[in-house]
Structure formats: C-alpha cells, structure tokens
Amino acid sequence: MSPEAPITGVRTAAYRVPTDRPEGDGTLAWDATVLVTCEIEAGGQTGFGYVYADSATALFASDVLAGVLQGRDGLATAARWREMVDAVRNHGRQGVAAMAISLCDAALHDLRGKYLGASLSTLLGRRREAVPVYGSGGFTTYAPSEMDAQIEGWVDAGFHAVKIKVTSDLAAEAPRIARARRAAGDGAALMIDANGACSRKQALKMADFAAASGVVWFEEPVSSDDVEGLRLVRDQAPAGVELAAGEYGYDAFHFRRLLEAGAVDVLQADATRCCGITGLLQADALAWAATVPLSIHCAPALHLQAALCLQRLIHMEWFHDHVRIEDMLMEAPPVARNGVAIPEDDRPGLGLALKQADAEPFRIWPRGPA
Ligand SMILES: [Mg+2]
C-alpha cells in the first residue's frame, strides 16, 4: 500500500510588488509584478508554490481548484494534476486556469518532497548539479547608462550571456543593441527579445542587424500567435541567430504546435504557466522528441529543482524583476555564481518558503487583515 496524505487545506494569496524602476518591452509596460502563492496542507506538511500572475489566479485556484484537491491524496501529483486539468474544462484552460493549475501543481510537488524528506531533484533524478543561467532585463524603459550598469553587473557576476528587450523600431534599437554588445564585452553572449513586437519584415531586418552585431538569440521576433511567421524568421535569419519562443505555452499542445511547425531553434517553457512542474516535464519530453534544446523562462527560484533534471535544458532565465522579488520575499532563494545556479543546500521539495512578514505589506488578496 503506497502512502497517502489527504489534503486538508489549500490557501492562496497575492502580493503586488512595485518594480525598482519602470519596466517595459516591445509590447507592454508595467510598474509592479504580482506574486501569487499557494500553500497546500497534507500529512502534517505544508507545500508551497508560486506563480507570477494576476490576483485573479489566486481567486481561481481558491474557487475552482481547492475543492478538486480537498480530501484527495496530496502525494499523487499526477492524479491531482489530471483532475485539475479536467475540472477547468468550461473555464478556458489557457491563461488564468493554466496558471492556477501551475500554482497548485508546484505546491503539490513541494508537499510531496517535504513529506518524503527529499528535494524535488532527488525525487525526479538529477541530470546535472548546476543550471546555467543568463541575465535578463535590459528593459526598453531604461536609460542607456542603466542598461550598461545592469549588463556589467551580470558580467561581473560571471554570467556567460545577457538579454535585453527590443522594440520593432530598428533605428532606435540599433544603437541600444550596439551599446549592449559593448557592455557585455568579450565574455558574454548577447540575446534580444522583441516580445512579438515586429512584423515579419521588421523581424527579418532586425535579425540581419542583430546577426551582424554579434547577437546570438532572437526571442519572439513576431507574435507567438504567428507560428508560420516564427518559422519564416527562423529559416531566413542568419545562421548565427537562434530563434526562441514558447513563454506563452499554457499547455503541451502549444509546445507541440511550435515544434511541429519547425518554428523555434530553442523551445522556451515556463512552469508558472504551462500547468506546473508536471507540464514542464511534458515540454522537456516534447523538446527531446523534436531534438530541440529547451530554455526555462522566468521565476528561477521556482524552476531550479526541476531544471537540475531536464534532459534538453540549455539554460534558465535569471530575470531581473523576478530575481529581485525572490531575493526580497523568499527564504533560501538560489544564488547564481560564475554563470550557474546551484541550490544552497538539499532542502526538501522546491526548497522555498515565503518570508510572510516581509510579504505582508504587499498583500492585495485576500483583502483585509491577516
Ligand atoms: Mg520573452
């Protein structure tokens, strides 16, 4: 008889954390980021997971998923995942529902590790002992000197690659790209991300300029909704520039479409969106079968344990906005040294905990006193 730990409680919350400076990219601007957390109680343990999403995700998990989980075995993560996916059928699985499933799935994996006294990477089986990371930020809202300082900070910390945001305006971006290339120096590769801002023709022109400037990675040159456009840019861009997309993959079917279309040189996946750790493992299997490398998008603390185990992984995004929040509000966030992130010690589960007192001033849901 396998062990069982019936779920006795599911609690969610949302915290709105202002950015340190205004942030923006090719298609969006923001001044705060919302951290949504989940605690799941079972077997005398509390599993903790989080995503970056609107507070509606916390409400959705509480309203729709908590009832699906309550009383069921918290150790049977695969069964709970499938029940959550089935339960959101009429709510629209992509978007908020997928992020709520991601939230609860992460907390369940953490719970299972704590119950069994082992880290997630020990339970899954490690593929590597450290995860290469690249510095990510370089927002379009930064002054040139701010961008330089951020890139130089990553280079000083031993990062081997850095990524900046770009708009669709090549005339404006050419000096930014050249400047970023100088700031990165000889030791770090330069990557750019348009967040879907460009038309196909704009993207091809940008890719030509980027390749000539030593850029090695062009992320989401056109909208990820334009899968054929991604394929076209991938095929026609100079060979030195890899095309990457996948951050809006809310399920395995999105990844399958990108891969079957030959739309990416590198698949990106984000466990805070793609239905959790379980969904991330599916993305890795799809990338394996497509012989395409995999790169993790955002939320590095949440991903680190799973990232140690993925077959196709090449690196993980060390996103300025999220690293800052994880350093502020979490116990034992991972540290990146010499271009890799290594867990600080072998803590069970995901190895994370919220610093509740530090987070409390930012809480926006549930409303009212703690
Ligand atoms: Mg991106």
Side-chain angles (χ1 to χ4, degrees):
M1 197 59 188
S2 52
E4 278 200 23
I7 293 169
T8 55
V10 178
R11 288 187 302 277
T12 63
Y15 306 88
R16 185 180 187 276
V17 184
T19 55
D20 53 355
R21 286 164 283 182
E23 295 180 357
D25 56 36
T27 47
L28 209 59
W30 61 96
D31 60 7
T33 297
V34 177
L35 173 75
V36 176
T37 63
C38 179
E39 290 178 320
I40 298 182
E41 308 268 2
Q45 301 289 339
T46 304
F48 170 74
Y50 70 92
V51 299
Y52 295 102
D54 189 79
S55 58
T57 301
L59 180 64
F60 187 95
S62 177
D63 269 10
V64 178
L65 300 181
V68 174
L69 296 171
Q70 190 73 25
R72 311 288 283 163
D73 179 12
L75 304 181
T77 49
R80 300 295 80 77
W81 183 88
R82 179 57 190 271
E83 287 165 3
M84 290 192 289
V85 168
D86 289 348
V88 305
R89 188 196 71 185
N90 292 355
H91 302 289
R93 196 181 59 242
Q94 297 176 334
V96 169
M99 290 188 282
I101 291 170
S102 301
L103 175 68
C104 295
D105 182 78
L108 285 169
H109 275 91
D110 186 53
L111 173 77
R112 180 165 160 268
K114 285 173 174 163
Y115 187 90
L116 297 172
S119 65
L120 177 66
S121 59
T122 296
L123 292 173
L124 293 176
R126 275 187 285 281
R127 167 82 166 78
R128 59 187 66 77
E129 297 302 320
V131 177
V133 293
Y134 68 87
S136 174
F139 299 108
T140 54
T141 44
Y142 281 1
S145 60
E146 291 177 315
M147 184 182 75
D148 286 353
Q150 188 178 56
I151 292 171
E152 287 160 10
W154 290 321
V155 171
D156 289 347
F159 285 67
H160 304 304
V162 301
K163 188 172 86 185
I164 65 166
K165 301 291 193 182
V166 296
T167 68
S168 61
D169 181 358
L170 181 55
E173 297 307 326
R176 286 186 74 240
I177 290 170
R179 190 171 180 124
R181 187 51 275 168
R182 281 195 300 277
D186 295 333
L190 179 63
M191 307 154 73
I192 60 172
D193 181 2
N195 287 87
C198 300
S199 69
R200 294 178 182 190
K201 298 296 189 193
Q202 286 173 324
L204 289 173
K205 278 193 232 170
M206 186 79 74
D208 284 343
F209 178 83
S213 306
V215 171
V216 300
W217 165 289
F218 194 0
E219 180 173 325
E220 236 201 326
V222 298
S223 166
S224 289
D225 294 327
D226 183 11
V227 174
E228 284 180 14
L230 290 173
R231 170 67 193 257
L232 178 139
V233 178
R234 180 195 181 195
D235 283 350
Q236 297 196 13
V241 179
E242 290 192 304
L243 192 142
E247 68 184 81
Y248 306 114
Y250 292 102
D251 54 30
F253 309 109
H254 178 93
F255 301 132
R256 192 182 75 178
R257 279 193 295 275
L258 287 179
L259 293 169
E260 284 183 345
V264 293
D265 293 304
V266 180
L267 182 69
Q268 293 179 279
D270 186 331
T272 74
R273 294 178 180 166
C274 71
C275 296
I277 303 293
T278 305
L280 181 66
L281 297 173
Q282 294 169 346
D284 187 42
L286 287 163
W288 175 259
T291 65
V292 164
L294 180 70
S295 177
I296 282 179
H297 175 263
C298 285
L302 182 102
H303 283 108
L304 179 58
Q305 282 291 323
L308 293 167
C309 310
L310 300 174
Q311 290 291 349
R312 281 288 182 207
L313 190 76
I314 51 166
H315 47 40
M316 181 167 82
E317 183 172 15
W318 201 253
F319 186 54
H320 168 74
D321 196 17
H322 295 175
V323 169
R324 178 174 163 267
I325 290 172
E326 290 159 11
D327 282 347
M328 279 170 64
L329 301 185
M330 288 183 201
E331 290 174 17
V335 176
R337 290 192 193 93
N338 301 318
V340 297
I342 305 173
E344 286 295 276
D345 50 26
D346 201 36
R347 292 162 61 103
L350 297 173
L352 301 169
L354 189 71
K355 292 194 276 189
Q356 194 62 52
D358 292 346
E360 202 53 30
F362 302 108
R363 180 161 59 89
I364 54 171
W365 197 89
R367 296 188 182 92

